Amino acid sequence: MRRKSVLAAVIAAVLLAVASGGTALSSSVTTSRAASAAAATPGCGKTPTLRSGTQSIQTSGQTRSFILRIPDNYNNTNPYRLIFGFHWLGGTANDVDSGGSSGFTWSYYGLRQLANNTAIFVAPQGLNNGWANSGGQDLTFVDDMIRLIEADLCVDTTQVFAGGFSYGGGMSYALACARATVFRAVAVYSGAQLSGCSGGTQPIAYIGFHGLRDNVLNISQGRSLRDTFVRNNGCTSQNPPEPAQGSLTHVVTAYSGCRSGYPVVWAAFDGGHTPGPVDGSTADDGARTWTKAVVWNFFNQFQSTNDTTPPTSPGTPAVSNVTATSATLTWTASTDQGGSGLAGYNVYREQGATDPLLGQSATNSITLTGLTADTEYQVYVRARDGAGNLSANSAFVTFTTTSTGGDTTPPTAPGGLAASGTTAGGTNLSWAASTDDVGVAGYDILRAPGATGGTFAQVGTSATTSYNDTGLTPSTTYRYQVRARDAAGNLSPVSNTVQVTTSGTTTGACSATPTVQSQWGTGYVIQPLTITNTSTSTITNWTVTFTLPAGHTLTGSWNATVTTSGQTVTAKSVSHNGTLAPGAGTTSFGFQASRPDGNTALPSGYTCTSA
């Protein structure tokens, strides 16, 4: 998860000018397959010509590409689920397929591991690394991929799914609107209506995720997508509970009253713009996130198989590597008995009337994390197959996590907190290290609004003595403090307070306000670069200029005509975003740039002129 492409990708701009039409699938494909019995595709029984890896296809007069993953034990007589994973803006099909730095555990948002060779996966590549869906061409791209795959491989036509993050979430929502009779369910991670919504009146199973503190696509946009299918699916309207800010937890709500077979689930979490939140942490980690199990269980409830025979029971778990917060379990593998294939294992804690699920694994081992120190756990394992059948419980195993060593001494307060390099959208913080009798585990960064008043809230963590806070509002004052914590969870007193005021410039009849969406060692993304009409008359076009620091190079831009001369960049409005009423603004323009590794400078001198 933590990779340059992910950081660069969380820039899913509100692309208001996209068209929402598209060429429909042929009538043989658009028949309401999601609600019918499984039908054999032409690829069933054939020796496939497609192979796992990158594929090319002609669609809408263009050559497009996608990555295909066929099960290792592919059986051409067994109809498989077909699952599409859409990348974010600036991301790639390879990012979705590989799982980035989290590897296979996060491939296709973690679903490939959990499917355990029971599904075919597809990672399409968007034009310009996005899903503008101009003229419906991305919908047609999906139609053509489905046609190609079903002609060559054995697909269960009632088990076609899609999911994606940010812009990929917008594309998944567009499919829910326009292809509700083709797709059984969609999962939208931190999405918004970015790729259009042609139709949008038919029911489809829908699960949405969104962070309370998403500063890229506000959670209200995710709620709006959800509510479309609350209405379409006939669910009882409600305001589902959401976690408190600062709790670093999540709440999953299944709506009541929905039409049979068309559930709606909403998962809100105390975090930012990410598909991989981790409870109790500000981390963005595909290996540890809870979202993948929630999505897999949501998709896995839809079955067309007649398999009702559960797998055999797993062997008694063996425990190893027990720490204060984790333990590793291994067990003898189960075998499938009904023909739908062994899909994985659930690990439960025996706790009385309701046994909580501690984790899921696609193999016969798991490392449980997030356990409580000095606590006894009695756990057992159940196998599950591709039809969702669960085995009998394994034998119980009991273990006790270690204590934290009785450490009750907090670290010393960090000293010399200072800010530097403050821009319109971010600032760099640094401080002197704390000391601890055992060892400092990290630092919490606290921020409060304004020069006075307001409440300090945690906005990030750092394992070092520096932190870059981004996503700030231009021309705004903030205060910061830092505190240290040790491995036992003891917190130091807070550091001194440092105050910063972000920049922002206005020239002529319009203003240009940049926001640093994300940055990494060798690059950054400015999104949105908000253009606001500051005059009393309507403007019909705008021009923004700014200066790139020495050694920085523009690598991409969207929703503007951009030219460069040396380090000076000139961006001019395009047809759909140039006209602005007095006081109105557009947030559709943004860009990405590269820079020398370690150089933290950002563009400056933003000016805006209009006509």
Side-chain angles (χ1 to χ4, degrees):
M1 274 281 293
R2 295 182 297 276
R3 56 191 185 277
K4 181 177 81 172
S5 55
V6 166
L7 293 171
V10 289
I11 56 176
V14 181
L15 304 176
L16 300 177
V18 298
S20 59
T23 303
L25 283 160
S26 66
S27 59
S28 63
V29 179
T30 54
T31 302
S32 186
R33 308 185 310 171
S36 62
T41 57
C44 292
K46 290 176 55 177
T47 300
T49 60
L50 292 173
R51 298 290 184 268
S52 292
T54 302
Q55 313 290 330
S56 295
I57 187 172
Q58 292 296 312
T59 176
S60 299
Q62 299 172 296
T63 300
R64 303 276 304 260
S65 67
F66 63 94
I67 297 175
L68 180 69
R69 290 296 166 193
I70 303 171
D72 296 336
N73 54 354
Y74 176 75
N75 178 348
N76 66 7
T77 64
N78 176 57
Y80 288 86
R81 285 189 181 95
L82 180 61
I83 302 177
F84 285 79
F86 292 91
H87 63 74
W88 45 93
L89 182 60
T92 65
N94 185 64
D95 292 329
V96 172
D97 178 74
S98 69
S101 62
S102 293
F104 184 66
T105 61
W106 191 235
S107 178
Y108 295 87
Y109 301 102
L111 301 186
R112 188 172 163 213
Q113 179 190 38
L114 296 177
N116 194 25
N117 285 306
T118 63
I120 298 167
F121 286 90
V122 182
Q125 177 59 49
L127 295 172
N128 300 315
N129 298 97
W131 301 103
N133 193 30
S134 300
Q137 61 184 335
D138 289 327
L139 290 173
T140 302
F141 179 31
V142 173
D143 295 344
D144 291 340
M145 284 186 287
I146 291 176
R147 247 192 300 268
L148 175 68
I149 293 166
E150 291 186 350
D152 197 68
L153 299 173
C154 195
V155 175
D156 183 343
T157 61
T158 70
Q159 298 285 289
V160 183
F161 302 90
F165 166 57
S166 199
Y167 215 157
M171 184 61 200
S172 300
Y173 176 75
L175 288 168
C177 291
R179 302 291 186 265
T181 58
V182 175
F183 285 82
R184 186 64 186 87
V186 299
V188 176
Y189 304 81
S190 304
Q193 186 171 328
L194 306 169
S195 307
C197 179
S198 176
T201 60
Q202 294 177 296
I204 185 173
Y206 183 92
I207 183 169
F209 300 80
H210 223 108
L212 300 179
R213 294 181 280 117
D214 191 330
N215 60 1
V216 179
L217 298 173
N218 188 274
I219 191 172
S220 62
Q221 295 174 277
R223 293 174 185 139
S224 176
L225 304 191
R226 172 202 69 196
D227 290 346
T228 297
F229 293 100
V230 169
R231 292 189 298 271
N232 292 356
N233 297 6
C235 307
T236 302
S237 181
Q238 63 169 289
N239 291 317
E242 295 177 348
Q245 289 207 21
S247 65
L248 296 178
T249 60
H250 71 279
V251 176
V252 179
T253 302
Y255 275 73
S256 61
C258 303
R259 287 177 53 182
S260 178
Y262 295 100
V264 172
V265 171
W266 176 245
F269 58 92
D270 179 36
H273 192 63
T274 171
V278 177
D279 278 354
S281 170
T282 57
D284 179 25
D285 190 341
R288 296 187 292 142
T289 184
W290 50 269
T291 61
K292 55 189 178 183
V294 172
V295 174
W296 176 249
N297 289 337
F298 184 77
F299 284 176
N300 199 46
Q301 69 181 300
F302 306 111
Q303 302 293 333
S304 61
T305 177
N306 294 320
D307 177 12
T308 59
T309 305
T312 62
S313 178
T316 304
V319 185
S320 61
N321 301 322
V322 178
T323 71
T325 59
S326 66
T328 299
L329 304 180
T330 57
W331 56 87
T332 302
S334 301
T335 57
D336 175 58
Q337 302 183 106
S340 60
L342 191 66
Y345 300 88
N346 296 350
V347 181
Y348 299 90
R349 182 182 185 185
E350 201 289 319
Q351 200 166 289
T354 302
D355 295 343
L357 179 67
L358 293 182
Q360 291 187 309
S361 175
T363 67
N364 62 325
S365 67
I366 190 172
T367 297
L368 301 173
T369 59
L371 305 181
T372 302
D374 199 19
T375 301
E376 181 180 277
Y377 286 83
Q378 187 175 49
V379 301
Y380 61 92
V381 181
R382 301 182 72 181
R384 63 181 189 278
D385 63 18
N389 299 306
L390 290 174
S391 73
N393 300 350
S394 73
F396 292 102
V397 64
T398 302
F399 64 90
T400 301
T401 52
T402 61
S403 70
T404 57
D407 178 11
T408 60
T409 303
T412 62
L417 177 63
S420 63
T422 302
T423 66
T427 191
N428 297 310
L429 303 172
S430 60
W431 57 88
S434 299
T435 59
D436 185 69
D437 59 336
V438 177
V440 174
Y443 298 88
D444 299 334
I445 290 79
L446 311 176
R447 187 180 71 202
T452 59
T455 301
F456 280 93
Q458 184 174 327
V459 294
T461 61
S462 175
T464 66
T465 56
S466 64
Y467 181 79
N468 178 235
D469 193 25
T470 61
L472 304 181
T473 301
S475 303
T476 302
T477 298
Y478 299 91
R479 306 189 317 280
Y480 289 91
Q481 296 173 344
V482 176
R483 67 189 177 201
R485 51 187 159 75
D486 62 21
N490 298 308
L491 296 175
S492 77
V494 296
S495 69
N496 60 295
T497 301
V498 66
Q499 179 177 307
V500 303
T501 300
T502 54
S503 59
T505 60
T506 300
T507 301
C510 59
S511 67
T513 305
T515 298
V516 180
Q517 179 53 65
S518 59
Q519 57 179 316
W520 55 99
T522 58
Y524 50 89
V525 171
I526 304 295
Q527 169 62 38
L529 203 166
T530 303
I531 312 302
T532 303
N533 180 1
T534 58
S535 71
T536 58
S537 303
T538 297
I539 62 174
T540 57
N541 61 70
W542 47 260
T543 300
V544 173
T545 61
F546 56 92
T547 302
L548 293 172
H552 292 217
T553 303
L554 199 70
T555 58
S557 62
W558 43 94
N559 289 337
T561 301
V562 177
T563 58
T564 59
S565 177
Q567 296 305 110
T568 301
V569 179
T570 302
K572 296 186 177 182
S573 58
V574 290
S575 59
H576 67 264
N577 63 8
T579 301
L580 298 174
T586 177
T587 58
S588 59
F589 172 43
F591 65 91
Q592 181 172 327
S594 64
R595 63 186 177 192
D597 195 5
N599 182 329
T600 60
L602 292 166
S604 60
Y606 292 91
T607 62
C608 182
T609 56
S610 61

